[in-house]
Amino acid sequence: MPRRSLFAMLPALLTACSGVDLLNATVATDTYRRTEGLHYGPDARQSLDVYQPAIPLRQAPLVVFFYGGNWSSGERADYRFVGEALASSGIVAMVADYRLSPAFRYPAFVQDSARAVAWALQHAADYDADPAKIFVMGHSAGAYNAAMVALDSRWLAAEGLKPTRLAGWIGLAGPYDFLPIVEPLSRVAFNWPDTPADSQPLLHASAASPRALLLAPAQDRLVNPQRSTLALAQRLKASGVAVQSELFDSVSHVTLLASMASVLRGRAPVLERVQAFVKSAG
């Protein structure tokens, strides 16, 4: 199928399992080594898969990735294209599941994200990664999780850690300031209207925050990029934090992440930006 046709179909296709299967079917299988079903906690959803470069590297950077899905859906296996993209770039990737709404509400998914990052820090050397080069990354709701782990010290503190242990964090089309909540699934996930004000990542930006890379579509119909991505970037910069931010005209909320897959990589330099940001650490 021509790349242009596939890309045009993806916004609809990626809302269904078949669409993710189609995208993953384009991914190489010889560029990474995968270790599946590692548990960072006792719940079945507290699991992750590790993607290592096919050719072992010593002291490689490591990215812990959290997917989106309105905190109510998602499976780590659907994001093989993200793990492959990072591993083929010389980055160890950990793609993590987390507990979902409605069975679990805020802050369960943030707690899980912090626990997964703590597990990554503890086990980085087991997968030829450098514990001093750990990044947290997410898309959409997963970018919210990543932001809270990186910016709000409460969550890593519960694991005996501080956000300063991170080499940086990466947010793709993340919601960082979204009160009042209007989306029905998000209302459930955050117990609206009893959502605490300090659940918003924007409020936690400070001089102590790790450096950040924030990317989003210029015309995102699901998450306002001005209110979230650009506002958070401005708040971090005002606090003296090194932050890179960029909006892309050629992608949507969904295809921003999909452009990391090799078949769609020419539509937006998302992987290129992520790779450069991660490789610049230390």
Side-chain angles (χ1 to χ4, degrees):
M1 181 180 295
R3 290 191 178 196
R4 181 173 298 178
S5 298
L6 177 60
F7 192 85
M9 294 168 61
L10 274 173
L13 286 173
L14 290 182
T15 63
C17 180
S18 60
V20 176
D21 289 344
L22 175 63
L23 188 59
N24 280 326
T26 70
V27 171
T29 58
D30 59 353
T31 55
Y32 64 89
R33 296 172 289 143
R34 180 169 60 178
T35 306
E36 300 180 60
L38 299 167
H39 297 284
Y40 64 84
D43 190 272
R45 292 285 308 177
Q46 294 171 325
S47 302
L48 55 80
D49 296 340
V50 179
Y51 294 78
Q52 296 172 260
I55 300 175
L57 301 174
R58 296 186 61 185
Q59 301 295 294
L62 187 154
V63 170
V64 183
F65 175 76
F66 301 106
Y67 49 75
N70 236 324
W71 302 281
S72 61
S73 65
E75 297 289 342
R76 64 184 187 275
D78 291 341
Y79 294 88
R80 183 167 64 87
F81 70 94
V82 175
E84 188 279 335
L86 294 171
S88 66
S89 300
I91 300 165
V92 176
M94 295 186 177
V95 180
D97 283 333
Y98 49 92
R99 290 173 294 172
L100 297 173
S101 173
F104 297 92
R105 314 291 178 91
Y106 171 86
F109 36 83
V110 179
Q111 292 168 331
D112 285 358
S113 299
R115 193 167 190 174
V117 170
W119 191 95
L121 284 161
Q122 181 179 1
H123 294 277
D126 298 341
Y127 300 96
D128 302 319
D130 186 346
K133 297 179 181 178
I134 306 295
F135 297 79
V136 59
M137 170 181 169
H139 170 248
S140 193
Y144 168 88
N145 294 5
M148 289 297 279
V149 170
L151 303 180
D152 184 350
S153 62
R154 291 178 294 174
W155 311 113
L156 282 179
E159 304 297 329
L161 300 167
K162 297 180 179 180
T164 52
R165 285 292 306 276
L166 297 173
W169 74 280
I170 301 156
L172 307 181
Y176 310 123
D177 178 28
F178 53 90
L179 297 183
I181 301 175
V182 297
E183 203 286 323
L185 290 176
S186 299
R187 285 188 166 198
V188 173
F190 283 87
N191 292 303
W192 179 260
D194 298 321
T195 309
D198 64 5
S199 64
Q200 303 301 285
L202 187 72
L203 298 180
H204 299 284
S206 72
S209 301
R211 67 194 191 101
L213 172 66
L214 305 178
L215 307 176
Q219 304 298 324
D220 194 331
R221 296 183 179 182
L222 296 180
V223 177
N224 186 314
Q226 284 75 32
R227 182 178 177 185
S228 284
T229 295
L230 296 186
L232 180 56
Q234 183 177 13
R235 183 73 64 91
L236 288 168
K237 288 177 182 177
S239 300
V241 177
V243 57
Q244 302 172 36
S245 61
E246 189 171 356
L247 303 184
F248 299 111
D249 292 319
S250 56
V251 288
S252 68
H253 185 81
V254 171
T255 55
L256 176 76
L257 182 65
S259 69
M260 290 186 68
S262 57
V263 70
L264 299 175
R265 209 160 285 167
R267 296 304 297 250
V270 174
L271 180 60
E272 179 182 332
R273 299 292 189 269
V274 170
Q275 182 181 18
F277 180 76
V278 169
K279 294 293 182 69
S280 67

